[in-house]
Amino acid sequence: MHGDRDGDHGPHDTSGTGARLPDGGSGTGDRAGVGGELADEGAVLLDEVRAAIGRYVVLPSEEALTAVTLWVAATHIQPALQHAPRLAVVGPTKGCGKSRVLDVLHETVHKPMMTVNTSPAVVFRVIGKNPPTLLVDEADTIFGPKAGEKEDLRGLLNAGHQRNRPAWRISGPEQKPTAFPTFAMAALAGIGDLPDTIMDRAVVLRMQKRKPGERITPFRSRHSVPELNALRDRLAAWLTPLRRAAAGLVPKMPVEDRAADTWEPLVIIADLAGGHWPAQARAACLAMTRNEVVQDEQTTLKTRLLRDIRRIFEREDNREALRSQDLLAALVQDAEAPWAEYGPKGMNAYHLANLLRDFGISPANHRFENGRQAKAYARNQFLDAWARYCPDPAQMAPAPWQESAPARPTEGKPPATPSGTRPVGPPGSATGPKRTR
């Protein structure tokens, strides 16, 4: 693009049109300095993009659909941004629509680059003057215990949220230290939450399986790709001349700190569009960041549960399994724990199974020494979760030659495949926690 220098060195006008661009703005969603015709065009175009995305995927909320629409548009002004928000597309299981979201993004974002099987070295070398939009499927394999050779890609994704955070590598025949730019927007899809370093810098879509009555338009390349590509081209035509305007905007944000950094590019797009979009973007920002606060509290509660269960097993001489009713009784009897006040009448078997489900832990029939069979939790099911989420201090301080190795369980057999029927209940139902300590 004409006049576009290294994308990691600051925002530039890359339109090459010579058109006069507005300077700054009030940040309240008004159209001061932005031509009414352009603003009207932007609002209508965002409406169309939002409708198209909503036809192909069922997102968890209207706010999430608004956020994805604005995120897609923001990729077209990447050179003007100071932060590159991640889009974390996560779900508890397969079949929640995560890959379909990436399919739609691939046809609408600026310069898409799928990184499922891409060498990290290639990604390092293509980010620069005009960075692509990284689309990472199966992101849980990058950050999980089997990451291995993907350390470089993991580091890039962590660093690339903010401009001017290069990655240094030894490169070339002369083996000279070389700074590789990392700044690029990225969408990451995977099963389960991604690491906090990603989630804290992301707009988070918590995908769920479609209900029987929820319908979507089948994604067919012959028809879907041209439609979405046409919207992509219209977004580029609208936003490319406005990159300098976007770089000058300092919008009023409904959140602070890192959440504001992450959501600012989306709010900038909404303010450029005008109409109902500025208010709609800020409402989505508030709703989705508040939801993540609740999720963080729930995650903290689940980690507390894992620690308490480990103590109970230790107190019982690390028996092979504990009956569900015995484990529940021990949890509720702990006066320092929140379990006696969990739910309307304290924790029950449904609550316990629901909290442990995300860790792949579930009760199953177990035959005890006396020959009696009962629903129970096997200790070896917890080993992997204990190692990951509440490791012993000794596990957290590896020897120098082990510093880059992922943590792994140090005792027992690998976790057994979960068995039995898992209770299913709607998130946020009355059976959820009343409060935590």
Side-chain angles (χ1 to χ4, degrees):
M1 291 187 182
H2 180 69
D4 187 11
R5 299 177 66 84
D6 192 320
D8 245 22
H9 291 170
H12 300 278
D13 171 23
T14 59
S15 65
T17 63
R20 174 172 172 76
L21 300 174
D23 298 321
S26 68
T28 58
D30 62 29
R31 303 181 183 184
V34 180
E37 182 178 345
L38 280 176
D40 288 336
E41 173 193 353
V44 171
L45 178 53
L46 289 182
D47 287 342
E48 293 183 34
V49 174
R50 189 180 191 277
I53 295 172
R55 284 198 296 273
Y56 290 109
V57 293
V58 175
L59 291 166
S61 66
E62 291 297 314
E63 292 83 3
L65 181 54
T66 294
V68 174
T69 302
L70 294 169
W71 191 89
V72 166
T75 66
H76 294 277
I77 59 167
Q78 283 192 68
L81 302 177
Q82 291 300 318
H83 291 88
R86 277 71 184 99
L87 187 68
V89 189
V90 297
T93 64
K94 297 179 180 179
C96 292
K98 299 181 296 295
S99 296
R100 179 50 47 82
V101 171
L102 292 189
D103 289 338
V104 174
L105 294 180
H106 189 272
E107 307 307 329
T108 51
V109 301
H110 169 73
K111 282 185 64 179
M113 180 178 181
M114 282 285 189
T115 61
V116 177
N117 296 314
T118 303
S119 162
V122 173
V123 181
F124 273 113
R125 283 163 175 78
V126 298
I127 294 178
K129 294 182 179 181
N130 187 19
T133 303
L134 304 178
L135 304 177
V136 185
D137 205 356
E138 300 180 7
D140 45 304
T141 64
I142 295 175
F143 299 100
K146 299 180 181 179
E149 73 282 1
K150 298 178 181 176
E151 287 279 345
D152 283 348
L153 185 56
R154 178 169 56 188
L156 182 152
L157 292 169
N158 280 332
H161 176 259
Q162 187 171 342
R163 190 177 290 281
N164 296 326
R165 296 291 187 272
W168 287 86
R169 296 289 184 273
I170 299 297
S171 179
E174 298 181 4
Q175 296 292 289
K176 289 185 176 180
T178 305
F180 289 95
T182 62
F183 184 75
M185 290 180 68
L188 303 96
I191 295 176
D193 279 9
L194 301 171
D196 288 344
T197 52
I198 294 294
M199 299 294 276
D200 288 348
R201 295 165 171 83
V203 175
V204 181
L205 305 183
R206 296 191 175 275
M207 303 296 289
Q208 300 173 349
K209 284 196 172 185
R210 284 189 289 131
K211 297 177 183 177
E214 290 178 325
R215 304 294 180 189
I216 59 172
T217 300
F219 190 90
R220 299 288 182 265
S221 296
R222 183 190 305 177
H223 305 291
S224 306
V225 169
E227 173 201 5
L228 295 174
N229 286 174
L231 290 171
R232 175 201 62 199
D233 295 343
R234 289 172 59 194
L235 283 171
W238 167 49
L239 289 167
T240 299
L242 295 178
R243 285 180 178 174
R244 181 177 293 171
L249 286 176
V250 183
K252 292 181 180 178
M253 299 296 298
V255 293
E256 298 177 340
D257 302 325
R258 185 165 286 159
D261 294 339
T262 295
W263 278 85
E264 184 181 74
L266 281 63
V267 173
I268 285 174
I269 292 292
D271 285 353
L272 288 172
H276 61 87
W277 279 96
Q280 190 168 314
R282 288 169 172 84
C285 173
L286 272 176
M288 294 183 70
T289 52
R290 285 171 178 168
N291 183 63
E292 286 310 298
V293 169
V294 173
Q295 290 291 335
D296 287 345
E297 292 173 351
Q298 187 76 347
T299 299
T300 301
L301 190 72
K302 291 176 182 178
T303 304
R304 169 67 186 268
L305 178 61
L306 288 174
R307 289 198 303 266
D308 288 352
I309 291 175
R310 182 169 60 189
R311 281 196 292 269
I312 293 169
F313 268 102
E314 290 171 349
R315 195 167 64 226
E316 296 292 330
D317 297 323
N318 287 323
R319 295 171 57 184
E320 182 182 349
L322 290 175
R323 293 192 305 170
S324 299
Q325 63 186 54
D326 294 338
L327 184 57
L328 273 170
L331 288 167
V332 172
Q333 288 169 7
D334 186 349
E336 298 299 321
W339 315 121
E341 298 177 358
Y342 188 95
K345 298 180 181 179
M347 176 173 279
N348 59 31
Y350 170 80
H351 298 147
L352 179 59
N354 196 44
L355 286 172
L356 294 174
R357 182 185 305 151
D358 286 345
F359 302 116
I361 299 170
S362 60
N365 291 327
H366 183 85
R367 189 172 298 279
F368 291 86
E369 293 83 354
N370 57 11
R372 293 185 178 180
Q373 185 170 289
K375 285 288 186 182
Y377 284 90
R379 182 177 176 275
N380 66 358
Q381 278 196 305
F382 290 91
L383 298 180
D384 185 66
W386 286 338
R388 293 177 189 276
Y389 299 100
C390 49
D392 289 329
Q395 291 176 303
M396 298 175 66
W401 60 86
Q402 297 173 323
E403 286 180 352
S404 63
R408 294 186 182 275
T410 57
E411 55 180 325
K413 298 178 293 183
T417 302
S419 59
T421 302
R422 297 176 178 175
V424 178
S429 66
T431 58
K434 291 181 356 185
R435 66 183 180 91
T436 59
R437 295 179 184 173

